[in-house]
């Protein structure tokens, strides 16, 4: 039978609701693992090291790049963000659905890797830019200059929307949560091509 897990990527402007939707999937779908990224950005109020991110210095991050420890990494809004390879491979070997909250550059890197056949991707956004600004202001974790930078970056990220399997306009949160859980369940049915071959062989002989 199939043993390997699969990957579910969420991208979209900062403030669109990715973390909120990921929490919903973690609480409603079984056998899911959240890939905790490493970042050099400052910790926000309410965030915890080792839960939301691994918070490290620029020097530590650059050392990990040199050592080849990242599956992918990118510079987003002037800070480094990256996904460590080891925990992801371990979770996949354990048959888990691995959730990623990564930017469009990270997604492109993943789609060039040998894991691409196992990826389901979702682009999460707000109905408008003014609603994105409202959410960033309400979240209260960024100053005006950072919000400006995130909005500017959002415009650039929106240009990549058409590369994703699914588009989630996160307007009604309850509806989006339900859609996200459905997508996560479907993502679990993505299978590695090698494993499919093994399955067919086994299927014929039984
Ligand atoms: P991201 O992880 O994409 O940066 P968050 O999940 O932190 O975004 O959400 C940003 C803010 O918007 C949070 O305060 C969250 O509670 C709020 N939020 C998320 N989804 C909705 C929604 N559908 N309607 C209104 N507010 C939302
Ligand atoms: P935030 O600072 O709001 O938590 O995240 C900013 C952006 O960085 C978001 O678009 C988020 O998806 C992205 N991001 C978070 N972790 C990673 C990662 O490991 N790799 C990449 N490429 N992007 C990430």
């Amino acid at each position: 039978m199939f043993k390997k897990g699969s990957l579910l990527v969420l991208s979209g402007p900062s403030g669109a609701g990715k973390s909120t939707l990921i929490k919903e999937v973690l609480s409603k779908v079984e056998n899911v693992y959240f890939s905790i990224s490493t970042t050099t950005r400052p910790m926000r109020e309410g965030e915890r090291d080792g839960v939301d991110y691994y918070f490290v210095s620029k020097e530590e991050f650059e050392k990990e790049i040199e050592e080849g420890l990242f599956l992918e990494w990118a510079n987003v809004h002037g800070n480094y963000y990256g996904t460590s390879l080891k925990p992801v491979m371990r979770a996949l070997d354990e048959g888990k659905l691995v959730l990623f909250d990564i930017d469009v550059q990270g997604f492109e890197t993943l789609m060039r890797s040998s894991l691409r056949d196992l990826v389901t991707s979702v682009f999460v956004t707000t109905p408008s830019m003014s609603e994105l600004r409202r959410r960033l202001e309400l979240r209260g974790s960024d100053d005006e200059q950072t919000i400006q930078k995130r909005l500017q970056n959002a415009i650039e990220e929106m240009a990549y929307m058409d590369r994703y399997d699914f588009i989630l306009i996160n307007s009604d949160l309850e509806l989006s949560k339900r859609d996200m859980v459905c997508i996560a369940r479907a993502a679990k049915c993505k299978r590695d091509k090698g494993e499919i071959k093994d399955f067919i062989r086994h299927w014929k002989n039984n």
Side-chain angles (χ1 to χ4, degrees):
M1 269 302 174
F2 296 103
K3 287 204 184 72
K4 224 182 171 67
S6 44
L7 287 70
L8 176 58
V9 173
L10 279 83
S11 299
S14 184
K18 299 179 297 297
S19 312
T20 310
L21 295 171
I22 283 173
K23 283 200 187 99
E24 181 70 6
V25 172
L26 286 168
S27 72
K28 295 274 163 69
V29 183
E30 353 21 78
N31 219 16
V32 175
Y33 170 80
F34 173 59
S35 163
I36 304 169
S37 297
T38 302
T39 185
T40 58
R41 86 144 157 74
M43 202 189 292
R44 287 182 193 138
E45 213 179 295
E47 283 185 329
R48 280 178 297 160
D49 187 29
V51 175
D52 302 283
Y53 282 104
Y54 295 108
F55 294 93
V56 300
S57 68
K58 194 165 165 277
E59 291 69 31
E60 282 174 281
F61 199 102
E62 285 170 349
K63 187 162 166 272
E64 290 194 31
I65 296 177
E66 262 173 47
E67 290 170 352
L69 300 183
F70 289 118
L71 170 60
E72 63 75 32
W73 64 271
N75 195 309
V76 190
H77 326 123
N79 291 303
Y80 283 128
Y81 292 84
T83 307
S84 297
L85 182 61
K86 251 198 203 160
V88 170
M89 297 317 282
R90 195 184 315 124
L92 284 178
D93 284 341
E94 288 168 2
K96 298 211 162 112
L97 174 69
V98 186
L99 297 186
F100 296 79
D101 175 345
I102 56 176
D103 85 319
V104 294
Q105 307 170 71
F107 168 60
E108 297 273 290
T109 308
L110 209 54
M111 294 313 279
R112 285 194 298 268
S113 79
S114 59
L115 296 173
R116 65 177 168 273
D117 287 343
L118 291 172
V119 175
T120 298
S121 58
V122 189
F123 193 93
V124 181
T125 188
T126 50
S128 63
M129 192 155 105
S130 51
E131 173 60 14
L132 184 63
R133 170 177 267 286
R134 198 186 70 84
R135 285 190 203 167
L136 286 172
E137 285 171 356
L138 267 180
R139 186 165 71 182
S141 54
D142 304 306
D143 57 29
E144 177 55 28
Q145 197 191 355
T146 309
I147 289 180
Q148 275 301 339
K149 212 192 261 182
R150 283 172 188 268
L151 288 175
Q152 193 50 47
N153 198 60
I155 295 172
E156 286 161 32
E157 283 190 294
M158 294 293 283
Y160 290 80
M161 253 175 104
D162 60 353
R163 305 195 187 182
Y164 287 74
D165 295 325
F166 300 109
I167 305 296
L168 223 162
I169 311 292
N170 178 19
S171 154
D172 175 335
L173 184 56
E174 287 315 307
L175 198 61
S176 300
K177 281 181 178 172
R178 258 181 281 155
D179 286 349
M180 197 61 234
V181 166
C182 281
I183 294 171
R185 291 199 195 282
K188 286 181 144 188
C189 301
K190 276 256 175 175
R191 294 298 175 194
D192 181 86
K193 297 245 187 311
E195 276 204 301
I196 293 175
K197 276 196 191 127
D198 292 344
F199 177 82
I200 296 172
R201 213 172 299 126
H202 181 266
W203 187 86
K204 277 196 225 154
N205 296 329
N206 284 279

